[in-house]
Amino acid sequence: MNTTRLQRDELRSLFAPSAGPSERIGLEIESGIVDPETGLAAPYTGRNGVKAILETLIAEWGGEAQHDAGELIGVKLSDGVLIGLEHGGQVEYSSAPAADLVTVVDDARAALERLSEIVKRFGWALLPGAYLPFDKIDSIPWVPMSRGRVMRDFFARIGDAGRDAPKILSMSLCTQVHLDFFSHEDFTRKLRMQAAASPVVAALFVNSPLQNGRLTGLLSHRSHDWLWTDPQRCGVMGPALRGDVGADHIIDWALRLPMIYYLGPDGRYQPAPDRPFATILEQGFEDGSMPTFAHWVSHMTQTWTHVRARRTLELRAADGPPYQHIPAVPALWVGLSYHPPSRDAAWELLRQYSVEEQRTAMLRLPVEGLHTMLGGDRMDELARELVRLARAGLRARVEAGLERPKALDYLDPLDEVLHTGETFAEQCARRWETDLGRDPRRYVAAFRV
């Protein structure tokens, strides 16, 4: 039994700068495994279930099986790629880190297309995006992960603040980006800009207008549901908007949050004590053991802010775009983050907006998209400037030999959105009412891998 108390320096070590020779890019893409006729999510069990798909993937691709309490929930491949499951059977591709955009995008496309071929053999379709558009929360086929039940119980216990967490767990999809930082100063400059830009990025990428097969007036059901998934640990993270934000500000913020779950000695996740992590650091768990560094790492994964800071900066604000436009997400963030003049100009553009102004904007954004006001300014105008800065950043990286020219093309769909004023969500809604004929089969055919 561990009886040693974690020290502050150990907590800080989770935010250690990268020691690599260059800034790398990681990409995560979540997709539904759905019926091509109805669009409904595949079950976990059964001859053609998601578990059988993972078993086939391991048999054909190799790799190390990942389990939760004996249940197969993913596979780690020899090249560092992780294919894992979310709670509603969504499958997440997590790339190995790459030095440039074209490599990480090409690798992701190759892996997803191979995965799609396996999924198709089982009678399903691989459907990226931002939300499972045809399922209902009372019929979603939950994956039997031990932490899933603990999480659902936790969110039920906090009442209205956690009312939409089951939808996030089981129906939300996302395209996320991981970026490096090289020093404590670099951490500050990147994190504060990324946090300030995240609501604008969320407005630019809205892409989940359908729920239960209906248009409800929302452009982003995903952004809406995050508002009701324990706001103290999701969405806008106040300390990240400080001009001098550092690891200690993030640590202090996280220490005030209660832990949701931890891994018990039997290999199953169990509810954590209902008290802040700082108190658990002082008093330990119910059995008298003290939290380890692994518990601290786990606690930090139980936060879902727009930017999740750990050994990388994980950018989570954007809805997953249509499959062909997925490269726009990493291209925007790399152009803004990995070119210091663009990064600093973006911070100067956005530093004036307060935490409350950001939170107010996020309340309106699911309905208003790019027409949302941030403070006294429209999101579309701010987004136009961010895309311009990102393109300048990518162009500088191309000229320096850090990117291939093809990377600049990845931003073109965002230029089109801003030129037409029609977001991915509005494009989808228009198509749903016209050429897709409100037909799930046509929807899946249009947007699958």
Side-chain angles (χ1 to χ4, degrees), residues 110-128:
L112 288 176
E113 286 161 18
R114 289 179 67 200
L115 178 59
S116 177
E117 189 275 327
I118 293 177
V119 167
K120 187 176 180 180
R121 275 189 255 155
F122 283 82
W124 308 106
L126 191 65
L127 186 69

Side-chain angles (χ1 to χ4, degrees), residues 200-206 318-322 324-336 370 380 383-388 390-391 394 407-424 427:
V200 184
V201 173
L204 182 59
F205 279 95
V206 288
D319 274 9
Q324 68 269 32
H325 300 325
I326 280 174
V329 183
L332 181 68
W333 282 123
V334 168
L336 289 174
L370 280 173
D380 56 350
R384 185 169 286 106
E385 182 62 9
L386 288 187
V387 173
R388 186 191 70 79
R391 189 173 290 280
L394 288 187
L408 288 166
D409 299 339
Y410 296 159
L411 292 175
D412 289 352
L414 304 183
D415 288 334
E416 182 180 357
V417 165
L418 292 166
H419 175 71
T420 63
E422 189 179 47
T423 60
F424 298 132
Q427 294 172 30

Side-chain angles (χ1 to χ4, degrees), residues 255-277:
L255 288 175
R256 293 193 291 269
L257 297 174
M259 199 178 192
I260 299 176
Y261 56 80
Y262 69 102
L263 191 62
D266 61 352
R268 299 181 66 85
Y269 289 96
Q270 55 194 40
D274 187 17
R275 50 185 185 265
F277 193 80

Side-chain angles (χ1 to χ4, degrees), residues 92-147:
E92 179 180 79
Y93 162 86
S94 298
S95 77
D100 69 285
L101 278 164
V102 174
T103 297
V104 78
V105 166
D106 286 352
D107 288 351
R109 289 205 186 282
L112 288 176
E113 286 161 18
R114 289 179 67 200
L115 178 59
S116 177
E117 189 275 327
I118 293 177
V119 167
K120 187 176 180 180
R121 275 189 255 155
F122 283 82
W124 308 106
L126 191 65
L127 186 69
Y131 211 78
L132 294 178
F134 302 108
D135 285 278
K136 297 181 180 180
I137 191 61
D138 56 1
S139 59
I140 197 76
W142 291 95
V143 174
M145 290 190 273
S146 61
R147 65 186 170 95

Side-chain angles (χ1 to χ4, degrees), residues 367-413:
V367 173
E368 298 179 0
L370 280 173
H371 297 292
T372 306
M373 300 296 291
L374 179 57
D377 299 300
R378 278 174 53 127
M379 289 281 203
D380 56 350
E381 294 301 322
L382 297 172
R384 185 169 286 106
E385 182 62 9
L386 288 187
V387 173
R388 186 191 70 79
L389 291 171
R391 189 173 290 280
L394 288 187
R395 186 175 294 111
R397 285 175 59 81
V398 169
E399 291 170 355
L402 299 173
E403 300 284 355
R404 284 171 266 176
K406 182 180 175 181
L408 288 166
D409 299 339
Y410 296 159
L411 292 175
D412 289 352

Side-chain angles (χ1 to χ4, degrees), residues 256-403:
R256 293 193 291 269
L257 297 174
M259 199 178 192
I260 299 176
Y261 56 80
Y262 69 102
L263 191 62
D266 61 352
R268 299 181 66 85
Y269 289 96
Q270 55 194 40
D274 187 17
R275 50 185 185 265
F277 193 80
T279 305
I280 299 176
L281 278 182
E282 294 294 323
Q283 301 176 358
F285 295 110
E286 306 296 349
D287 63 1
S289 66
M290 301 300 290
T292 65
F293 183 73
H295 290 117
W296 171 238
V297 173
S298 176
H299 177 59
M300 289 302 298
T301 68
Q302 297 165 40
T303 64
W304 298 278
T305 45
H306 290 153
V307 187
R308 185 155 61 181
R310 292 176 292 175
R311 289 193 174 96
T312 62
L313 296 167
E314 180 183 349
L315 302 155
R316 309 171 48 85
D319 274 9
Y323 177 61
Q324 68 269 32
H325 300 325
I326 280 174
V329 183
L332 181 68
W333 282 123
V334 168
L336 289 174
S337 300
Y338 281 177
H339 179 56
S342 291
R343 180 198 64 206
D344 294 343
W347 169 245
E348 289 302 320
L349 175 71
L350 300 167
R351 65 183 300 175
Q352 63 182 300
Y353 304 109
S354 68
V355 173
E356 284 311 309
E357 285 173 325
Q358 279 211 7
R359 288 178 174 154
T360 298
M362 291 305 301
L363 286 171
R364 304 180 68 90
L365 183 149
V367 173
E368 298 179 0
L370 280 173
H371 297 292
T372 306
M373 300 296 291
L374 179 57
D377 299 300
R378 278 174 53 127
M379 289 281 203
D380 56 350
E381 294 301 322
L382 297 172
R384 185 169 286 106
E385 182 62 9
L386 288 187
V387 173
R388 186 191 70 79
L389 291 171
R391 189 173 290 280
L394 288 187
R395 186 175 294 111
R397 285 175 59 81
V398 169
E399 291 170 355
L402 299 173
E403 300 284 355

Side-chain angles (χ1 to χ4, degrees), residues 44 50 72-73 85-90 141-146 148 152:
Y44 175 75
V50 176
L72 179 63
I73 61 166
L85 296 184
E86 295 295 326
H87 300 271
Q90 313 99 305
W142 291 95
V143 174
M145 290 190 273
S146 61
R152 296 198 295 276

